[in-house]
C-alpha cells in the first residue's frame, strides 16, 4: 500500500483547518461537572466532547463510571454547546444505549481491543452504523490485534472508522504510563494510510506536563488529531487525575502546537521532510536506548569476568562477532566499512565499561 492518503474520509469531510480535537473529562462524574467543562470548551478547537460513561478500571472498587444516566448529560452538552459527543463502548449493551442517546462518536478502549470476542460483539451491535467508530490500540504492542479489531468493524459495514494510539503497557517502569512505541504507529499508518489516526497523549504520558511534547511528536509524525482529557479541577477528578489538564491549558496547548497543513507543493515538501525527520528522531532515540541496554548487559559480563578473574578482551569471540555482523549488515544494505567502524566503537565503549568495573 502506498503511504499517501487517497480516499476521502469522514475527517476530510469535516474540512477542518487544524487537527481533529477530542477533549473532555476522563469520566463523566456529575451533570454539573460535564456541563461546566463542556461550556468551557465550546469556544475552542474542540470538535468532539468526550466523557467516559462506563470506565474499565484495573482493580474493582474504583469509580466505574456513572452509567447510562451520563448519556443524558452528553445529550445536554450537544443541545447547549453544539459540540458533538464521544464515549467509550465495551459491549453490546453500551452500544445500544449510546446509539439510542445519539452519541456521535464511539471509541473502543484498549482493554476491549485485545479481545476478539468483544470486538466481534461490538461490530455486530454496530453493524451498518454511520457513526464514527475509533479503535484504540490494544494494551499490548500487537499490531495484528489492532488491525484485526478494525477489520471486524469494516466487515460489519462500518465505514466511518479511525484509530487511536494510546500507547502500550510495559512491565518495565518508564517515564510514560503507556509507552508510545512510535515505530508501531508509523507501521500502522503505512498499512492503513487512509484511516484517520488520532493520538491520545493523556493515556500515553499519565502526566499532564508531558502532554504538549507527545502531542507535538504525534503531529510531526502525521497524526490526524488528538484526544486530550480535560477537567476544570484535574486534581480532584474521580479517575486519571494526574493526566488531565484544565480547559485553559488545553487551549494554550492548541495555540502552541506547530501544525503543518497540506496545501501547496512547497508545503507538501516541508511536511514530508518534517515527517521523515520526526521518524529519524524516533529511530535515533531507539538506537540510544538499545546501545544503553547493550552496555548494561556488557557491565554484567564485566562483573562476571571480575568474579572469575578473566581478562576483558576475548579476541576469538570478538572476531566471530565482527564476521557475523558484517554479513548481517550487508543483508540490510550497510557497507562493511560502516559496520566495522560502528562495532569497533561499540566494542571500545564496552571495554571501557568493563575495565571500570574490573578495576573500580
Ligand atoms: C479512556 O479513554 O478514558 C480510557 C479508559 O482509555 P484506554 O482505553 O486507552 O485506557
Ligand atoms: Mn482516562
Amino acid at each position: 500500500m502506498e503511504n499517501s492518503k487517497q480516499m476521502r474520509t469522514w475527517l476530510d469531510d469535516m474540512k477542518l483547518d487544524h487537527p481533529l480535537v477530542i477533549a473532555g473529562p476522563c469520566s463523566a462524574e456529575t451533570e454539573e461537572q460535564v456541563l461546566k467543562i463542556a461550556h468551557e470548551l465550546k469556544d475552542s478547537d474542540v470538535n468532539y466532547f468526550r466523557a467516559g460513561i462506563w470506565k474499565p478500571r484495573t482493580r474493582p472498587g474504583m469509580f466505574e463510571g456513572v452509567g447510562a444516566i451520563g448519556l443524558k448529560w452528553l445529550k445536554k452538552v450537544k443541545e447547549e454547546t453544539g459540540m458533538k459527543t464521544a464515549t467509550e463502548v465495551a459491549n453490546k449493551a453500551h452500544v445500544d444505549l449510546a446509539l439510542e442517546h445519539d452519541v456521535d462518536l464511539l471509541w473502543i478502549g484498549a482493554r476491549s481491543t485485545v479481545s476478539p470476542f468483544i470486538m466481534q460483539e461490538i461490530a455486530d451491535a454496530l453493524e451498518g452504523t454511520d457513526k464514527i467508530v475509533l479503535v484504540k490500540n490494544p494494551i499490548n504492542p500487537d499490531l495484528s490485534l489492532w488491525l484485526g479489531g478494525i477489520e471486524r468493524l469494516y466487515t460489519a459495514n462500518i465505514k466511518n472508522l479511525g484509530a487511536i494510539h494510546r500507547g502500550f503497557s510495559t512491565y518495565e517502569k518508564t517515564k510514560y504510563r503507556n509507552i508510545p512505541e512510535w515505530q508501531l504507529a508509523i507501521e500502522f499508518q503505512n498499512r492503513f494510510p487512509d484511516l484517520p489516526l488520532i493520538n491520545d497523549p493523556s493515556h500515553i504520558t499519565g502526566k499532564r506536563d508531558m502532554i504538549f511534547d507527545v502531542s507535538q511528536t504525534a503531529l510531526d509524525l502525521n497524526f490526524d488529531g488528538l484526544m486530550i482529557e480535560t477537567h476544570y479541577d484535574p486534581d480532584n477528578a474521580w479517575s486519571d487525575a494526574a493526566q488531565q489538564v484544565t480547559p485553559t491549558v488545553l487551549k494554550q496547548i492548541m495555540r502552541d502546537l506547530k501544525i503543518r497543513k497540506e496545501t501547496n507543493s512547497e508545503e507538501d515538501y516541508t511536511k514530508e521532510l518534517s515527517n521523515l525527520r520526526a521518524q529519524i528522531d524516533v529511530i535515533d532515540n531507539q538506537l540510544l536506548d538499545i546501545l544503553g541496554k547493550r552496555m548494561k548487559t556488557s557491565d554484567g559480563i564485566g562483573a562476571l569476568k571480575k568474579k572469575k578473574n578473566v581478562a576483558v578482551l576475548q579476541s576469538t569471540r570478538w572476531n566471530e562477532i565482527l564476521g557475523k555482523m558484517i554479513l548481517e549488515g550487508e543483508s540490510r544494505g550497510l557497507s562493511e566499512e560502516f559496520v566495522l567502524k560502528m562495532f569497533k566503537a561499540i566494542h571500545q565503549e564496552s571495554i571501557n565499561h568493563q575495565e571500570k568495573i574490573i578495576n573500580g
Side-chain angles (χ1 to χ4, degrees), residues 26 50 55 177 203 229 239-240 243:
C26 177
R50 66 152 280 159
K55 299 305 298 177
R177 176 177 178 194
H203 291 90
E229 288 188 339
S239 57
D240 287 349
Q243 70 194 32

Side-chain angles (χ1 to χ4, degrees), residues 26 50 55-56 88 107 109-111 136 166 200 203 229:
C26 177
R50 66 152 280 159
K55 299 305 298 177
E88 173 177 348
W107 81 82
R111 294 160 191 77
K136 285 201 171 192
R166 51 77 82 193
D200 172 351
H203 291 90
E229 288 188 339

Side-chain angles (χ1 to χ4, degrees), residues 119-165:
M119 285 308 296
Q120 195 55 51
E121 176 179 323
I122 295 173
D124 291 342
L126 279 168
E127 178 151 18
T129 186
D130 55 7
K131 300 279 185 198
I132 295 163
V133 183
L134 306 182
V135 182
K136 285 201 171 192
N137 65 256
I139 42 184
N140 53 325
D142 183 337
L143 186 58
S144 305
L145 209 48
W146 196 4
L147 298 179
I150 292 165
E151 279 160 5
R152 283 176 200 278
L153 296 170
Y154 189 78
T155 307
N157 203 21
I158 300 158
K159 292 287 184 273
N160 295 324
L161 286 172
I164 304 175
H165 168 239

Side-chain angles (χ1 to χ4, degrees), residues 234-253:
D235 285 330
N236 290 306
W238 297 2
S239 57
D240 287 349
Q243 70 194 32
Q244 304 205 52
V245 296
T246 61
T248 313
V249 169
L250 179 84
K251 290 176 200 170
Q252 191 60 47
I253 290 175

